[in-house]
Amino acid sequence: MDLEKFFDGVNHDVLMAGVARQMQDKDMLRLIRRFLQAGMMANGVETPCYEGTPQGGPLSPLRSNILLTDLDLELEKRQLSFCRYADDCNIYVRSQRSGQRVM
């Protein structure tokens, strides 16, 4: 499965709460928040950014890992075999019928 438009809909507060659970360096947290809110420049006009995060950069997998930890834990709790990288996830089941009941 691919979580469609995953990076476009990232809630900054949720992401920052996840980052803050992993590190307590207030200066670094402030820097990450500023990075998220930096916005975009399109046709010479800066557009503020209130949600979403850049995709394709070296930090994309890290951000998705922070946000999708709960998904991983739920899949493990259900004793499902899976492999996830960023917003792509394969869940392995024994039959098509089992796959229809997974989620």
Side-chain angles (χ1 to χ4, degrees), residues 25-83:
D25 184 326
K26 296 209 184 292
D27 290 332
M28 184 59 72
L29 292 171
R30 217 175 355 266
L31 179 64
I32 293 169
R33 170 76 70 172
R34 289 185 69 199
F35 170 75
L36 289 171
Q37 296 175 333
M40 257 177 52
M41 184 74 76
N43 298 323
V45 178
E46 183 180 349
T47 306
C49 182
Y50 302 107
E51 71 175 3
T53 179
Q55 181 178 0
L59 293 179
S60 295
L62 175 62
R63 289 188 301 262
S64 62
N65 283 342
I66 290 169
L67 287 168
L68 296 174
T69 296
D70 290 339
L71 171 64
D72 295 347
L73 293 173
E74 180 63 29
L75 294 173
E76 288 172 357
K77 185 173 104 178
R78 294 180 186 208
Q79 298 180 332
L80 293 167
S81 297
F82 68 97
C83 178

Side-chain angles (χ1 to χ4, degrees), residues 1 3 68 70-82 84 89-93 95-103:
M1 72 178 174
L3 301 175
L68 296 174
D70 290 339
L71 171 64
D72 295 347
L73 293 173
E74 180 63 29
L75 294 173
E76 288 172 357
K77 185 173 104 178
R78 294 180 186 208
Q79 298 180 332
L80 293 167
S81 297
F82 68 97
R84 186 181 58 75
C89 184
N90 290 333
I91 301 172
Y92 303 99
V93 295
S95 68
Q96 183 175 350
R97 186 171 182 207
S98 295
Q100 292 169 342
R101 295 183 302 196
V102 167
M103 300 307 256

